[in-house]
Amino acid sequence: MNRTHDVGLTSWVASAQGHPDFPIQNLPLGIFRRRGQDDAPSAGVAIGNQILDLARSASALGVPGGAMAELCREPRLNALMGSGGERWSVLRSEISGLLASDSPLRSRAMKVADQILVPQAEAELFVPAAIGDYSDFYASVHHATNVGSMFRPDNPLLPNYKWVPIGYHGRASSIVVSGTPVRRPWGQIKPPDADHPVYAATRALDYEAEMGCFVGPGNEQGETVPLDRAEEHLFGLSLVNDWSARDIQTWEYQPLGPFLAKSFSTTISPWVVTLEALEPFRVPAYRRPAADPAPLPYLNGTRNRASGGIDVTVEVLLGTARMREAGMSPVQVSQGRLADLYWTLGQMVTHHASNGCNLRPGDLFATGTISGPTRESRGCLLELTWRGAEPLVLPTQEIRKFLEDGDEVILRAYCHKPGAVRIGFGECRGIILQG
């Protein structure tokens, strides 16, 4: 905790005061350019309803040699992510100092505001890093129990679940930024009453509300990452929607797990909220029932137990084509908490590298569906509708078991508690196109 978290800190950017996502206490990073221009994308910081152009700020305000000038001229954030926590903190301090109401540079900055600030509504946003590898975990015990109950009512959790953070290697090439349409995928589907599969468009298209974690410095191949140092390798968090074709998945996932049912598209939000910005919202790791096994020593630590969780609220909203035509806003269908995950982010990093797997700057791993103990906290339609047996009824009286063409899914997330300023992650949107 430092001055950048001060609840009394304000910004000379007027829209930052009271902004639900991007006050000066947040300062998430992303890659953008002005819409309609062919300039190379560059690094920016969301502040209120504006974006601070870091490269232009450094040159326009004569701030040579600082972290803003050195690390933020690249078209992706990989160099910054790989530079480590000390540099991240210096950069955050520089940006906060520039944007603060009492900044010595305030007068000069306001004179060139039209050069260094870009309205978010006028910006094109990009995937923030060149993602070399993408892995997806299965870290919610509530999600795993719900899904397991549909197929194994008497024994929903497999024997390994409470011992090992389950995950699979995903597809980095099909990760897209918020707002990119998602085309309904085709694949092999075997109807329950059929003798053989057919090749067809999925009829069980689903979303998964997750958080994504960008890797920082990483580790050399053959080296491990101790749990007490795991978060040194974690740069920040974004929202992730890991779209899933459940009928394709049911047929293909045994014996090796997800493949084409998930590789067609994964949507992420454009802003990366740094771990430092999330520090006020630390909570203890998920409290395991007394009957559960303690994590093995490499996944167990005093600091992780005391403050390995982060209290992020994740909301899912759904809008249909008919709702948009009627001028109706999307409706919230669920709300979960990152703090409900069985495994912490640090444990995921440590386990990922525990066999010597080399993590690299800009790699992404996701938490898996974030679900809680109540129906309202289930993070996908597979759970919410209980595999279609309990469909959603929308305000238009439309019925949803799974997603239809024209549906739009919107993820939002935020942190809030007494004594701290609320910060958010923006949105992660995707609309379904006919396959």
Side-chain angles (χ1 to χ4, degrees):
M1 297 283 285
N2 52 47
R3 186 177 184 269
T4 65
H5 302 103
D6 186 348
V7 297
L9 195 63
T10 60
S11 173
W12 52 263
V13 180
S15 63
Q17 276 61 261
H19 195 281
D21 282 344
F22 306 132
I24 193 172
Q25 289 79 7
N26 191 350
L27 306 179
L29 290 117
I31 296 294
F32 82 104
R33 69 181 170 200
R34 290 179 184 267
R35 193 180 305 277
Q37 297 191 4
D38 57 3
D39 296 344
S42 63
V45 169
I47 179 73
N49 60 15
Q50 304 288 311
I51 299 172
L52 178 71
D53 186 320
L54 295 183
R56 286 177 181 258
S57 297
S59 57
L61 298 174
V63 190
M68 283 172 50
E70 291 181 23
L71 296 171
C72 296
R73 296 183 184 277
E74 299 294 323
R76 292 291 185 266
L77 294 177
N78 296 68
L80 172 60
M81 291 174 174
S83 66
E86 184 176 343
R87 297 305 304 276
W88 303 339
S89 192
V90 168
L91 175 63
R92 177 175 166 83
S93 180
E94 286 183 9
I95 297 168
S96 179
L98 169 60
L99 290 170
S101 296
D102 59 359
S103 170
L105 296 173
R106 171 177 177 161
S107 178
R108 290 167 56 192
M110 293 184 72
K111 288 180 181 178
V112 294
D114 60 336
Q115 300 176 40
I116 65 175
L117 291 177
V118 177
Q120 290 192 35
E122 299 176 13
E124 181 181 4
L125 298 168
F126 297 85
V127 173
I131 301 170
D133 282 292
Y134 166 55
S135 302
D136 196 17
F137 283 91
Y138 195 51
S140 167
V141 70
H142 303 290
H143 174 63
T145 300
N146 286 336
V147 174
S149 296
M150 299 173 196
F151 301 95
R152 300 177 302 275
D154 297 331
N155 190 24
L157 289 181
L158 294 173
N160 63 350
Y161 187 84
K162 294 184 177 181
W163 290 97
V164 58
I166 303 297
Y168 72 94
H169 194 76
R171 183 74 186 176
S173 66
S174 53
I175 295 174
V176 297
V177 75
S178 174
T180 306
V182 176
R183 190 165 297 282
R184 181 178 296 274
W186 283 57
Q188 282 199 28
I189 301 166
K190 184 181 179 299
D193 55 350
D195 294 328
H196 55 79
V198 297
Y199 178 68
T202 178
R203 296 312 309 159
L205 185 57
D206 202 355
Y207 61 81
E208 290 190 347
E210 309 188 17
M211 294 300 302
C213 310
F214 280 97
V215 172
N219 58 301
E220 294 294 326
Q221 189 170 7
E223 294 184 355
T224 60
V225 176
L227 182 60
D228 282 348
R229 303 195 64 179
E231 290 188 359
E232 296 175 19
H233 299 268
L234 182 55
F235 176 73
L237 277 60
S238 292
L239 283 160
V240 168
N241 185 343
D242 187 38
W243 305 94
S244 301
R246 300 299 188 188
D247 43 6
I248 297 173
Q249 183 178 359
T250 299
W251 175 239
E252 75 174 9
Y253 84 104
Q254 295 183 4
L256 293 181
F259 186 38
L260 300 185
K262 288 177 174 286
S263 64
F264 59 95
S265 187
T266 300
T267 303
I268 66 172
S269 56
W271 298 111
V272 186
V273 178
T274 64
L275 222 57
E276 187 172 352
L278 294 166
E279 194 63 30
F281 308 99
R282 289 285 185 174
V283 293
Y286 181 83
R287 187 170 182 176
R288 300 179 176 212
D292 284 9
L296 294 177
Y298 80 103
L299 292 174
N300 206 351
T302 303
R303 185 174 7 168
N304 182 75
R305 290 194 301 272
S307 59
I310 304 173
D311 196 6
V312 183
T313 298
V314 181
E315 299 176 341
V316 182
L317 296 91
L318 177 62
T320 70
R322 188 185 301 178
M323 290 169 66
R324 290 193 298 276
E325 291 169 2
M328 300 173 64
S329 299
V331 294
Q332 182 176 308
V333 295
S334 73
Q335 183 182 87
R337 294 175 65 232
L338 187 67
D340 283 333
L341 294 183
Y342 196 78
W343 300 98
T344 67
L345 303 180
Q347 287 172 320
M348 293 180 221
V349 172
T350 290
H351 182 66
H352 204 319
S354 64
N355 67 343
C357 172
N358 51 318
L359 308 178
R360 296 174 295 182
D363 282 357
L364 180 71
F365 70 89
T367 59
T369 303
I370 298 171
S371 294
T374 66
R375 186 179 190 277
E376 294 74 20
S377 60
R378 297 173 184 172
C380 63
L381 286 176
L382 179 68
E383 292 177 83
L384 262 179
T385 70
W386 209 255
R387 211 179 174 191
E390 303 170 8
L392 293 179
V393 181
L394 299 173
T396 51
Q397 300 305 304
E398 294 174 276
I399 303 297
R400 287 294 182 273
K401 297 180 179 180
F402 291 100
L403 297 172
E404 300 290 342
D405 294 345
D407 287 354
E408 183 175 32
V409 178
I410 305 165
L411 307 185
R412 295 175 182 160
Y414 62 89
C415 301
H416 182 52
K417 74 170 189 178
V421 176
R422 170 181 162 140
I423 66 173
F425 289 76
E427 292 185 338
C428 180
R429 288 177 173 258
I431 192 167
I432 306 303
L433 303 182
Q434 182 178 356

